[in-house]
Amino acid sequence: MSEEKLMSKKKPAYPISKELDEYLDYYNRKIEIPIHYEDLLRFSGSVAVYDANDEDTLWVRVFYPEFDRDEIDLALKRVYSNFVSDGSDSIFQYLNVDYVDYCTFGNSKPFRIKVRNILNDNYTLFYVKRTDASRVYGLELEHMLSPYNLNFVIYENTLIEEHIVGIPGDVFMKKNLPECTEFEKAQIAKEFVKFNERCMIRLLGDMRSYNYVIVPTHDFDSVVYKIRAIDFDQQCYEGKIKVYRPQFFKENKTMVDLVQGKLTIDSVNQYIVEERSIIAKRILSWGRRLKRLMDACIADTIAPPENIETLKAQLQELTGDINFRDSKNMGEILAHALDFVKRNYEDVSMKQIIDKKF
């Protein structure tokens, strides 16, 4: 199946529902900040941002009129203070807003802000985006069901999201992977199998190579690699089940070839069972909070009817679980998917849960 047919051409942004808003408020994901996404759109000029190899990054560095710049800088420092510190003004004198970048590629069109501590040159990156219910559900599910915690806050129609450190997947495959040892390549293959399964279980779509990062960590005399999603726009939206499995995107062919070359089918099965088991344990450990998020999602509209009908039919065929057949919306499909994992992770065979494309 071609990628053009696999993905919808344009996903709309969905508003934050009353139930989701109450959830975000209860779990301290809402905060009052002095700037909105639309305020940052008032830039008067921009220049393209190139990487170290003089390749266009598809980001542009924006500039503001002099009478707006001071106001925006102060507001962004206040956002920084509220987002990563105690919200006080005392640190402002040590902060400098080095740049504001705007991404012209993709659905969310985020702003990337670099705030630097002038005393030691340490810096923090964060993103300012428009709110989208799909993205918020994706961030919360990543926070609860992946190995990683995420820091983000909402203010009215503006989302502030932390930067996730790592090497973009497409860059890693091109520049870093060829230099890896055979042992490291086998370890990366294992992580891709787990990442593939994690995305499928929580219905996170469109994990093409530039929508996730590879995170290398030094451990004694070796390097351990992990894979993290960085884009959550396609949470529970598409109807085709393959969209939720990174293995089916052509941009990930290098990773799929790595899995096929480095892992036996028994190893793949082992890592799938491991990932399903740990996700099932996370589902149980988050308990009430995850249930409250699912209740909000079930009451929400985050996908068109045709996508819902397609996905629930494909998931029923894949799992044999009739609960998918009776799902009325994407929230119910997701809730049934998580419940299926929780109920069956100890004894579901590989044949029931993954296409043998690996």
Side-chain angles (χ1 to χ4, degrees):
M1 182 180 295
S2 70
E3 182 181 320
E4 186 177 355
K5 293 181 180 179
L6 191 62
M7 296 283 296
S8 300
K9 290 188 179 298
K10 180 72 173 178
K11 175 196 165 294
Y14 289 94
I16 302 297
S17 67
K18 178 178 178 290
E19 292 80 2
L20 180 56
D21 184 73
E22 290 174 352
Y23 170 92
L24 295 168
D25 190 36
Y26 187 83
Y27 289 105
N28 299 314
R29 290 297 198 187
K30 292 179 66 178
I31 192 172
E32 187 171 341
I33 56 175
I35 196 167
H36 292 80
Y37 176 89
E38 284 73 18
D39 295 327
L40 294 177
L41 290 172
R42 303 200 313 254
F43 56 87
S44 58
S46 65
V47 295
V49 177
Y50 295 89
D51 63 17
N53 298 314
D54 288 329
E55 295 180 2
D56 193 345
T57 63
L58 302 179
W59 289 79
V60 296
R61 190 144 300 161
V62 300
F63 305 100
Y64 297 91
E66 186 175 350
F67 56 89
D68 281 342
R69 179 68 202 209
D70 290 343
E71 177 186 347
I72 288 174
D73 274 12
L74 181 62
L76 290 174
K77 290 177 183 179
R78 196 173 298 282
V79 170
Y80 171 91
S81 181
N82 280 284
F83 190 51
V84 303
S85 188
D86 62 357
S88 70
D89 298 356
S90 59
I91 62 172
F92 288 5
Q93 60 184 314
Y94 308 121
L95 301 179
N96 186 71
V97 179
D98 279 5
Y99 60 69
V100 177
D101 288 347
Y102 178 61
C103 184
T104 58
F105 176 74
N107 278 339
S108 60
K109 291 185 168 52
F111 286 93
R112 179 176 61 197
I113 319 297
K114 179 182 179 182
V115 177
R116 178 172 53 88
N117 186 313
I118 61 176
L119 295 179
N120 51 36
D121 278 343
N122 285 328
Y123 66 88
T124 297
L125 296 173
F126 62 88
Y127 297 87
V128 180
K129 304 178 179 180
R130 286 193 180 98
T131 53
D132 174 15
S134 302
R135 191 177 304 121
V136 173
Y137 286 121
L139 288 165
E140 271 294 291
L141 288 167
E142 179 76 1
H143 180 74
M144 286 189 266
L145 300 184
S146 83
Y148 314 105
N149 293 329
L150 285 181
N151 186 21
F152 72 93
V153 292
I154 300 289
Y155 176 58
E156 296 180 353
N157 65 341
T158 299
L159 167 67
I160 310 296
E161 186 180 323
E162 72 176 345
H163 173 67
I164 297 174
V165 176
I167 305 169
D170 53 342
V171 175
F172 184 88
M173 289 179 216
K174 182 179 179 181
K175 298 182 179 179
N176 301 81
L177 187 59
E179 304 301 320
C180 290
T181 66
E182 296 307 306
F183 171 79
E184 289 171 341
K185 289 178 180 178
Q187 198 254 336
I188 293 166
K190 176 190 77 171
E191 289 302 315
F192 186 76
V193 170
K194 292 191 167 206
F195 179 67
N196 189 77
E197 186 68 7
R198 192 156 65 241
C199 293
M200 176 61 206
I201 288 172
R202 43 79 61 96
L203 300 181
L204 176 62
D206 193 19
M207 282 298 106
R208 285 173 281 188
S209 55
Y210 47 78
N211 286 332
Y212 60 83
V213 293
I214 314 294
V215 185
T217 304
H218 289 270
D219 182 33
F220 294 105
D221 59 348
S222 63
V223 179
V224 177
Y225 295 90
K226 300 293 182 181
I227 302 178
R228 293 190 63 176
I230 60 172
D231 189 320
F232 304 95
D233 293 353
Q234 290 284 342
Q235 176 67 51
C236 294
Y237 175 75
E238 295 288 347
K240 298 182 177 66
I241 197 170
K242 289 185 177 182
V243 175
Y244 302 105
R245 299 157 99 172
Q247 69 186 88
F248 287 110
F249 286 102
K250 65 182 182 183
E251 291 87 348
N252 294 326
K253 184 178 184 304
T254 299
M255 287 294 195
V256 174
D257 291 343
L258 198 64
V259 171
Q260 292 175 330
K262 292 295 180 183
L263 304 180
T264 65
I265 195 70
D266 288 337
S267 293
V268 170
N269 189 31
Q270 174 194 339
Y271 297 138
I272 289 172
V273 171
E274 287 179 7
E275 191 62 25
R276 293 178 72 84
S277 298
I278 194 64
I279 289 177
K281 292 170 186 174
R282 290 188 187 114
I283 292 170
L284 292 169
S285 68
W286 281 101
R288 184 178 178 182
R289 178 166 176 170
L290 182 57
K291 182 183 183 305
R292 187 163 180 172
L293 181 69
M294 288 298 94
D295 288 343
C297 194
I298 289 169
D300 213 339
T301 298
I302 53 174
E306 59 270 21
N307 289 4
I308 295 166
E309 293 302 314
T310 299
L311 184 60
K312 73 180 188 181
Q314 293 184 0
L315 281 171
Q316 183 187 354
E317 181 181 358
L318 181 71
T319 64
D321 190 338
I322 61 172
N323 286 316
F324 289 111
R325 181 193 63 193
D326 300 325
S327 300
K328 299 179 181 63
N329 55 43
M330 276 293 183
E332 289 192 1
I333 292 174
L334 177 60
H336 290 318
L338 298 183
D339 186 61
F340 179 82
V341 172
K342 185 174 66 174
R343 287 186 285 109
N344 298 286
Y345 76 96
E346 290 183 333
D347 56 7
V348 174
S349 71
M350 180 183 176
K351 290 182 180 179
Q352 291 175 290
I353 61 178
I354 194 165
D355 192 297
K356 279 78 68 187
K357 291 288 184 180
F358 278 135

